[in-house]
Amino acid sequence: MAVAVMPAMGPTLGSAAGLISMLEEEQVQLQTSALRSLNAVVDTHWAEVAGSISVIEALYEDEFFASRDLAALLASKVYYHLGEMNDALNYALCAGSLFDVTETTDFVQTLLAKAIDAYIEQRSDAKTDDVDETDKRLVAIVERMFERCYDDGQFTQAIGVALETRRLDKLQESILKSGDVVESLDYATKVCQTLVTSREFRQSVLRVLVKMYETTEGVEPNYLNMCQCLMFLDDADGVANVLTKLVNGSDDEQLLSFQIAFSLCENEIQPFLNKVIAKLAPAAAETPAPANEDGMDDDTKTEDVKLEDTTSSNPSKLLRSVLSGALPVNLHLEFLFSHNASDLLLLKQIRAAVESRNSVCHTATVLCNALMHAGTTVDTFLRENLDWLSRATNWARFSATAGMGVIHRGQLNEGRQLMGPFLPREGGGGGQRPSPYTEGGALYALGLIHANHGDDILPFLLESSRSSNNEVIQHGACLGLGLAALGTGNEEVYTDLFRIMRTDSAVAGEGAGIGVGLLLAGTGIATKQQQILNYCHKTQHEKIIRGCGVGLALTAYGREEEAEPLIEQMVRDSDPIIRYGGCLAVAAAYVATGNNAAVRRLLHVAVSDVSDDVRRAAVMSLGFVLCSTPSQCPRVVALLSESYNPHVRYGAAMAVGICCSGTGLKEAVELLEPMLTDAVDFVQQGALIAMAMVMVEQTEANVAPFRKRLTNHITDNREVTMTKMGAIMAQGIVDAGGRNVTIGLRARSGFPRMTAVVSMIVFTQYWYWSPLSYFVSLTFVPTAFIGLDAKLKMPHCSVTSHCKPSLFAYPPAVTADDKKDKGKVVKAVLSTTAKAKAKAAKKARESAAEGGGDVEMETDAAKGGEEKDATDGMDVDGGDEKKKDGDDKDTDAAKKEPEPTKEELANPARVTPGQERYVKFDDDSRFVPIVSGKAAQTRGFVVLKDTTPGEEVEYVTTTKTPAPAGGAGDAGGAIAAAVEEEPDAPDAFEFDPNDV
């Protein structure tokens, strides 16, 4: 029986024929020994073994064979090498404990992944958390996988497997068994957004995590993460309870409540925050305040807290001022005004390069100015170019007026006063009524100013929409109402917007459709969705259908699988405009989820739909779905960017711009570069805009070549209009907000920002309707470090940026010399002039010879004048040699001084996303962030703890000047005065064809 011991022959075995023949022996010992030996050599001799797979299977099926599991393992390996993974997994499961999950071979790792996928599929199909309904063998594999992770100390991997397999019990077990429960809870909260594709299961996970935050013994609750979880569970009561507990606690807990409030505001879900404000319990020392003059209570009215009004020491009132959004908005206004670095000379060069008769580029220049000064309240360019601005007519005038809303965004208290010259006079007096285009643009501007904080302006906008039947005014009023009531679902506003939509006016109906979408953003109310969709099938106006399609897409925001009935109905509609809206609905519903099913659906539409518009929208929507992982998007759309269809190429460019906005991602830049020189003008336009989105707030070393390209496009008189328009828009985006903002579709928590995502979807519709391009301003996020103490004031303090100041400095300002051509123009000098100067010089020399030294000084002066005139008359190299030498000496002296390796940034300071990792608090700093450790931040609103509370605190003085009385100042009054009245309609007459 010595022949039964043959494993040592495996490594040098030339053929497995002998071992295979032993499988047909009758002695069980020989069969078992052969199976064991074949298992050792099957990786190299699987082709021979495969010929006898039926014999191996027969051994496994023999119930009386003692080594059935060994036969199953061998069969599994053979099928693995044959590529039959389903059979390989089946036999691996039959092998029981012999299938060792701790091995690191390709065979084990591949089948483990296959087993987990099969387990997940069964769990998903069962729609239940009951493990008993799942294949017991798969359960055993998964259980052993968890044990392996525990033994190896890979608790983060165990958490990931638990989330993927939907095992909430194992999720809790993995967190509790880890050495650092707090770290594991934070990790689970973070990966929950990317690993969990089902919204329903994600909510179950968040509930479990909140419960663990609250009940785990010996662990300090992370209230910041807890409130983030509660916010996305729409649990206003839970957030209010946590904030009430903290704000009534110790000094540190009060500071933490402020930091949590700022973090919640960053997600821009203001309707939820209004619920929290209403449910906040009053502080212990707070007495009920009397009703306001307008009769409204503080809980029902948004508190318009000015920056100078935050002197109140009542923590509860301060907390409400943060949650209402009034304080953050005012602080951002102060920062953007004080740090404004817009280059007015650059704007003047753009204005000079734009042909006055080209209304498209004129409108783009006005947009560029609005974006470059977004939120800064600086309208200097408008004041200095009133004559040029007054050339705008009709819809160009509508857009120019709306641009004022972008510049003054956030002026919640002064918004109506600022736009006063553009609005109808109260009581019908006070001069002539503005043009309908001016008035409509002003109502749109009010919406931009009060976006997401429009409780106070809603009554006026409603009154304006009802008091006029002019479709232009109604269009502006609808957009303003949608922005002011964003996501609130206000029934009164919905009724008014739907009434305007049903008037069947193309212009007003389009605005009403988009306004309804903004109003119902994220609500997903099926009855109203169906009501709007039914009207789309009734109307014949494409503009109304398109507005309603975009509006329906916005209602699906963040609903994920709950929006599937609406999406399915829209993408299968016979009308391409509704299918277009269906693609946008996929983008809104699955934004930042990376959902594989959504990506597959969009890719299928992108290559199969017969409408170019639908295909373009499908590719563009990929950017929204993948924006949680920007590095994936360039790979997904790489082939689409080379499509023969220019609409698909445009969509690929915009997808990359949306997904990778503000990242400066190298892969995104490489993909967009070839499209900047595309043969089709609108593809170039999209690539320029997308590149600007990617490069915003990046280091100047990376942005400088792109800026030069933009300048070339803008100043080239032969450039096509579409490309020049894209270059001007891109210039506004890359220098947006005084060069102090970036585009942020996601908050620091990783969850999407509702206002930004919704606004970006509407911005993409500038393709059809250019006034919608102003929506991009609502995606801007100030790149600021704003430190606040217990009084929510900005103390004098600083942080240190541990890198060279030039790395993240503002780009150098454009000088007058930059606008000159490289080839200098030589001024012509007439021969008579030269003769006259020579004659004067001769007389001066003769006078000098006669008059002596006193006149010699005059002669020298005359010579100097001659030389100056000659230099002025023509550009020569020799004339500037001395000056050039002097400049070179100064430059050399400057180069000898080494640039410092760090920089102190005073509060408030500009801190770009790329710079944040270099910015730290000094060890001896008096003010330190209340949230320390890995969660500490040096960008955004940072609540600071005073380490020496007994000392006096100096605060930063405000620099933002109040709005001038009577409106937007000279710019507003002059523009309004330049408005021309619409011509009267001709008198009634009868037409007789016989008279012709």
Side-chain angles (χ1 to χ4, degrees), residues 393-568:
T393 58
N394 299 334
W395 286 108
R397 182 171 294 162
F398 178 94
S399 297
T401 311
M404 295 289 291
V406 175
I407 295 173
H408 295 283
R409 186 197 171 194
Q411 297 260 40
L412 303 181
N413 295 314
E414 303 90 0
R416 188 171 172 184
Q417 177 188 2
L418 286 164
M419 302 309 299
F422 310 102
L423 298 170
R425 310 295 186 266
E426 294 185 4
Q432 66 180 13
R433 184 182 179 118
S435 162
Y437 295 97
T438 303
E439 187 175 337
L443 295 174
Y444 179 18
L446 284 177
L448 292 169
I449 291 173
H450 293 83
N452 214 20
H453 302 92
D455 289 352
D456 292 338
I457 203 64
L458 274 180
F460 175 75
L461 291 173
L462 281 170
E463 180 185 353
S464 299
S465 67
R466 294 166 181 168
S467 62
S468 175
N469 292 325
N470 185 288
E471 63 179 4
V472 178
I473 296 176
Q474 287 183 336
H475 181 84
C478 289
L479 293 176
L481 282 169
L483 286 168
L486 182 65
T488 61
N490 186 303
E491 195 65 34
E492 182 183 6
V493 177
Y494 174 76
T495 303
D496 206 62
L497 290 174
F498 198 71
R499 173 188 62 81
I500 296 174
M501 186 192 303
R502 294 181 63 182
T503 59
D504 215 37
S505 168
V507 174
E510 182 183 32
I514 296 174
V516 167
L518 294 170
L519 174 70
L520 302 178
T523 58
I525 303 175
T527 54
K528 294 181 178 177
Q529 290 174 340
Q530 199 61 43
Q531 195 176 14
I532 298 170
L533 192 57
N534 290 339
Y535 183 74
C536 286
H537 291 132
K538 291 180 181 179
T539 184
Q540 300 298 315
H541 292 291
E542 289 189 0
K543 287 177 72 69
I544 296 178
I545 299 174
R546 182 170 292 110
C548 291
V550 175
L552 284 170
L554 300 183
T555 64
Y557 168 80
R559 307 306 295 183
E560 299 183 36
E561 62 268 14
E562 293 180 14
E564 277 300 319
L566 174 68
I567 293 172
E568 192 69 21

Side-chain angles (χ1 to χ4, degrees), residues 867 870-872 874-885:
E867 292 174 2
T871 306
D872 289 342
M874 51 194 304
D875 293 331
V876 293
D877 294 337
D880 292 335
E881 284 182 357
K882 294 183 179 179
K883 182 178 178 181
K884 186 175 180 181
D885 293 340

